Amino acid sequence: DAGVTQSPTHLIKTRGQQVTLRCSPKSGHDTVSWYQQALGQGPQFIFQYYEEEERQRGNFPDRFSGHQFPNYSSELNVNALLLGDSALYLCASKEQGRETQYFGPGTRLLVL
Amino acid sequence: GENVEQHPSTLSVQEGDSAVIKCTYSDSASNYFPWYKQELGKGPQLIIDIRSNVGEKKDQRIAVTLNKTAKHFSLHITETQPEDSAVYFCAAIEPPSNTGKLIFGQGTTLQVKP
């Protein structure tokens, strides 16, 4: 049973560019959340997707957007990248109605 | 919104000793508290969780206690081993719990010396 998978593992971009990160949830899970983890910090909630809609959003600007597909996989898009967007981006999945979330390995984004 | 404070930020113990990490939360309506272990270069791994209707939960060498009145919860690791070395995060779910929004503490770096 595959856990949460994310791609790519690492990514280098320059300021002003756009990036798309991908996530496949754990088998049987239908809800995907995205978190940003800066170096030395705990993860911060960006948003959550369920039934292909954004259900909950954290304190992140509109430059951060997402999408969920019918197979429950998800994408995180970040536009107009800033140096401060450099972080580990984590995807977590769960079953709707349950609290337990499982994280993927993350995508390390470096913005130069 | 919910706020979670975690301490200590670093903890060094000898192999075989116990380790305790403490967290406090601000929203008394929070009802789910997971703990995650994060090794270098990896994503957080769920190690144990507790719901507010339970005061203590144990899984082999790991236990979590919850004091709802004081709004704090703790992770206890007994008989520590070098492979327990990692960063540990506590978290609380922001009410209402169906949001799935986890609020994390700042993390504790645990070092177990052989």
Side-chain angles (χ1 to χ4, degrees):
Chain A
D1 176 25
V4 180
T5 60
Q6 292 186 242
S7 64
T9 55
H10 295 83
L11 206 51
I12 300 176
K13 292 286 187 178
T14 57
R15 281 180 298 173
Q17 283 189 314
Q18 177 264 343
V19 68
T20 298
L21 311 181
R22 296 175 177 82
C23 169
S24 290
K26 184 178 168 65
S27 178
H29 288 185
D30 55 10
T31 303
V32 172
S33 297
W34 287 91
Y35 291 80
Q36 180 194 65
Q37 186 177 25
L39 203 60
Q41 304 288 324
Q44 287 200 324
F45 179 85
I46 302 175
F47 44 50
Q48 182 188 89
Y49 276 84
Y50 170 64
E51 291 186 327
E52 303 178 47
E53 290 187 10
E54 183 182 296
R55 299 288 178 170
Q56 184 82 359
R57 190 177 183 92
N59 189 25
F60 280 82
D62 292 345
R63 297 187 298 110
F64 290 77
S65 63
H67 188 78
Q68 186 179 34
F69 299 93
N71 67 352
Y72 310 120
S73 67
S74 176
E75 288 182 350
L76 165 65
N77 300 292
V78 187
N79 295 322
L81 285 167
L82 304 174
L83 296 179
D85 294 332
S86 295
L88 180 68
Y89 288 86
L90 296 162
C91 170
S93 74
K94 72 181 190 76
E95 294 178 57
Q96 183 63 13
R98 294 182 176 268
E99 299 103 340
T100 307
Q101 295 186 40
Y102 297 91
F103 283 83
T107 293
R108 175 73 62 187
L109 172 65
L110 178 61
V111 182
L112 301 176
Chain B
E2 175 69 279
N3 184 54
V4 176
E5 298 288 335
Q6 179 174 350
H7 57 95
S9 57
T10 60
L11 180 59
S12 182
V13 300
Q14 288 294 134
E15 182 177 359
D17 287 350
S18 295
V20 180
I21 302 171
K22 299 182 179 182
C23 290
T24 60
Y25 61 98
S26 61
D27 194 328
S28 56
S30 290
N31 61 5
Y32 174 69
F33 308 91
W35 285 88
Y36 289 88
K37 174 184 181 183
Q38 188 172 27
E39 296 175 328
L40 199 61
K42 298 185 178 181
Q45 175 194 1
L46 179 70
I47 55 172
I48 197 166
D49 56 10
I50 192 167
R51 289 168 177 80
S52 59
N53 59 347
V54 175
E56 183 174 358
K57 183 177 178 180
K58 190 173 181 180
D59 182 5
Q60 299 182 334
R61 297 185 297 109
I62 293 174
V64 58
T65 58
L66 172 65
N67 183 326
K68 286 190 295 182
T69 303
K71 290 189 284 187
H72 66 71
F73 56 113
S74 301
L75 178 71
H76 304 254
I77 305 174
T78 58
E79 300 171 20
T80 53
Q81 303 166 2
E83 50 265 39
D84 293 329
S85 296
V87 180
Y88 290 80
F89 290 97
C90 64
I93 200 161
E94 182 168 278
S97 61
N98 61 358
T99 66
K101 179 180 178 181
L102 291 175
I103 306 300
F104 284 83
Q106 299 89 335
T108 296
T109 301
L110 173 64
Q111 181 187 29
V112 180
K113 299 177 181 177

